[in-house]
Amino acid sequence: FAAQSVTVKIPKFELHRFEDSQMPKTATTNKGELMKYFTNMAVMRRTEIMADNLYKSKHIRGFCHLYDGQEALAEGMEAALTWEDALITAYRDHCQALARGDTPYRVLAEMMQKKTGSTSGKGGSMHYYNSKHNFYGGNGIVGA
């Protein structure tokens, strides 16, 4: 893809306790960056669809809180953060784990309680962990 950049005007929003002067007026991106975001979100959605199928076929036991329709949240957060920024989530964290560098195989293996999973099959659907990328998984609901 050509690295031709595009600048988009950001509409004005009513914000609580946020100075208007702090709000950016434009965002600049390019086709390559947008395709990367789209590809990542498509991988996230396909992983969630597979997780749903595995859950319905009883290969995933316990709870399975899917992230369907929220892929842009994970991708948008990662676009603004770096892996030096620590991240902790609530209980829907499959796609956040993917955005933080995990693989669909490891995420699904974790949900199926396999040793090859993100946390050796000990975390299930809610408790991914990747200290290398400062991702401390979901524990807001269940407790740290």
Side-chain angles (χ1 to χ4, degrees):
F1 294 103
Q4 181 181 8
S5 66
V6 176
T7 301
V8 179
K9 283 186 180 180
I10 300 173
K12 184 175 176 164
F13 293 97
E14 293 291 326
L15 303 168
H16 180 70
R17 294 186 175 187
F18 195 76
E19 296 291 327
D20 188 56
S21 63
Q22 294 175 304
M23 189 68 183
K25 307 289 186 238
T26 61
T28 303
T29 188
N30 58 54
K31 276 186 181 181
E33 187 176 50
L34 293 174
M35 284 304 296
K36 181 183 131 233
Y37 295 155
F38 176 77
T39 301
N40 291 345
M41 288 188 292
V43 167
M44 290 175 192
R45 176 60 65 96
R46 294 297 300 156
T47 303
E48 289 297 283
I49 290 169
M50 183 54 67
D52 189 33
N53 291 338
L54 290 167
Y55 181 72
K56 288 175 180 171
S57 66
K58 301 191 188 307
H59 286 92
I60 296 174
R61 297 186 298 273
F63 295 103
C64 183
H65 302 288
L66 298 175
Y67 210 90
D68 278 359
Q70 300 178 56
E71 297 86 357
L73 296 175
E75 194 60 30
M77 283 176 57
E78 289 303 321
L81 299 172
T82 70
W83 285 354
E84 277 80 50
D85 296 310
L87 181 64
I88 188 169
T89 72
Y91 61 105
R92 297 182 195 276
D93 61 351
H94 313 151
C95 292
Q96 205 67 58
L98 292 169
R100 279 285 160 139
D102 220 333
T103 67
Y105 174 86
R106 287 172 40 90
V107 166
L108 292 170
E110 184 60 36
M111 285 189 253
M112 296 171 65
Q113 300 172 340
K114 303 294 182 188
K115 199 151 193 74
T116 55
S118 303
T119 53
S120 301
K122 296 175 185 174
S125 174
M126 295 191 282
H127 305 288
Y128 294 89
Y129 181 84
N130 185 340
S131 62
K132 179 181 171 187
H133 297 143
N134 279 330
F135 179 58
Y136 302 106
N139 64 359
I141 300 290
V142 178

